[in-house]
Amino acid sequence: MSTAHDDLDAWKRQRTLELAHELADSGRYEDFTDIAYALQFERGMATAQALIDGPDMRRVLNQRCADAREKLAPPAPIPAPEVLEVLEAAPDTSNDHAQLPKAADFERAPSLLRRALGIVWRSGNAGDLNSAPS
């Protein structure tokens, strides 16, 4: 009886890990906590969080979630040639204290922050974040 129970537990663990990876790769989940919730409450896997709750697994799932969401994100619009000319002619510095971040500034940022800043950066409104109404 013990062997059958061990086999069932091993199968449950393996199936939980497979589902967790599938959910992470879907791009619909922000991070590990969303996946644990989905497994537990949407899939009825009461022990799922305990099975996937470890620092290495959290790191893997969080990275897979971020990678999948980035693949699903719409590409940045390509500026018209006349906009590119204006951007190229603009000086690299200004007297404004709020500088637009460079793409390299986002590479190590957490995914949600990176996506939010990317939207602001692409829209050109980064200077508006620090300006108070007069």
Side-chain angles (χ1 to χ4, degrees), residues 32-54:
F32 160 83
T33 56
D34 291 345
I35 292 170
Y37 181 89
L39 289 172
Q40 188 170 358
F41 296 107
E42 295 171 12
R43 303 281 178 119
M45 302 174 80
T47 60
Q49 184 162 352
L51 293 175
I52 63 173
D53 193 6

Side-chain angles (χ1 to χ4, degrees), residues 30 62 65-67 69-70 108-116:
E30 191 68 33
N62 289 346
C65 285
D67 291 346
R69 283 191 324 274
E70 287 177 14
R108 292 252 180 216
S111 181
L112 179 61
L113 178 60
R114 184 172 55 239
R115 288 189 302 146

